Amino acid sequence: MKISQKDLGIKIGIDPSSASGRMNHYETGRHMPDLDTLKKLAKELDVPVNYFFCETEENATLACLIDKLDDETKRKLIQLLENKTEF
Amino acid sequence: MKISQKDLGIKIGIDPSSASGRMNHYETGRHMPDLDTLKKLAKELDVPVNYFFCETEENATLACLIDKLDDETKRKLIQLLENKTEF
């Protein structure tokens, strides 16, 4: 993914004059985006919204992989995880 | 989980006089809690913060199950999901 903070901000509809500053505040955690902005960012980056709130690299990677599965496969994975914790 | 919105709010430090209203606004989506409040709620409910942003029941269940796995198991699961999407 090669896109600047500013360009990403502009892509989701932030005014170009404030895009860099606002996106920087989001990235550093100074401000949290509202839910509508989070949804736009997620769509633009092709990640689920919950990705932004994953606290480890592994959880974030898994959130993206899981979001791409169909519901039936998700349900099978739930059963797998409920029955054992090793692979 | 049997706890009222109000009691959950009080548990995470919201003033009892406003706990019911604030928690109701969060639940209906009228206001989004700030990150600090989300972290307190997550801790109290024993879920990861990203749980609150999962858009399907399956994703939410998986977020909780995955959060309980150790890092090594998570990495194995990542490999599994990267190599196939059926179980």
Side-chain angles (χ1 to χ4, degrees), chain A residues 5-24 26 33 37 40-41:
Chain A
Q5 283 181 341
K6 180 176 178 175
D7 287 344
L8 180 57
I10 292 168
K11 267 181 180 273
I12 63 160
I14 299 175
D15 189 89
S17 66
S18 56
S20 179
R22 270 184 59 190
M23 293 298 292
N24 189 52
Y26 295 155
T37 303
K40 287 179 186 165
L41 284 170

Side-chain angles (χ1 to χ4, degrees), chain A residues 32-33 38 49-50 53-54 58-59 61-62 65-67 69 73-78 81-82 85 87, chain B residues 32-33 38 49-50 53-54 58-59 61-62 65-67 69 73-78 81 85 87:
Chain A
M32 184 155 86
L38 287 169
V49 170
N50 63 319
F53 296 91
C54 289
E58 288 84 3
N59 286 10
T61 302
L62 284 167
L65 288 167
I66 283 166
D67 196 56
L69 302 177
T73 307
K74 285 178 192 174
R75 282 189 287 269
K76 285 184 189 167
L77 184 56
I78 288 169
L81 289 172
E82 282 176 341
T85 52
F87 303 96
Chain B
M32 185 156 86
L38 286 170
V49 170
N50 64 318
F53 296 92
C54 289
E58 288 83 5
N59 286 9
T61 302
L62 284 166
L65 287 167
I66 283 166
D67 196 56
L69 302 176
T73 307
K74 285 178 192 173
R75 282 190 287 270
K76 285 184 188 166
L77 184 57
I78 289 169
L81 290 172
T85 52
F87 302 98

Side-chain angles (χ1 to χ4, degrees), chain B:
Chain B
M1 186 79 199
K2 286 282 177 195
I3 183 171
S4 71
Q5 283 182 343
K6 181 176 178 175
D7 287 345
L8 180 57
I10 292 168
K11 266 181 181 270
I12 65 162
I14 300 175
D15 190 88
S17 66
S18 56
S20 178
R22 270 183 59 189
M23 292 298 292
N24 189 53
H25 285 175
Y26 295 155
E27 186 155 350
T28 58
R30 184 163 161 193
H31 293 142
M32 185 156 86
D34 61 32
L35 191 55
D36 187 51
T37 302
L38 286 170
K39 285 181 180 174
K40 286 179 187 166
L41 283 171
K43 193 175 174 191
E44 195 59 43
L45 296 171
D46 193 28
V47 297
V49 170
N50 64 318
Y51 168 86
F52 298 121
F53 296 92
C54 289
E55 295 185 83
T56 68
E57 190 65 34
E58 288 83 5
N59 286 9
T61 302
L62 284 166
C64 292
L65 287 167
I66 283 166
D67 196 56
K68 303 289 183 195
L69 302 176
D70 61 57
D71 285 352
E72 178 57 27
T73 307
K74 285 178 192 173
R75 282 190 287 270
K76 285 184 188 166
L77 184 57
I78 289 169
Q79 285 191 324
L80 187 72
L81 290 172
E82 281 176 343
N83 290 318
K84 62 170 194 165
T85 52
E86 287 199 23
F87 302 98

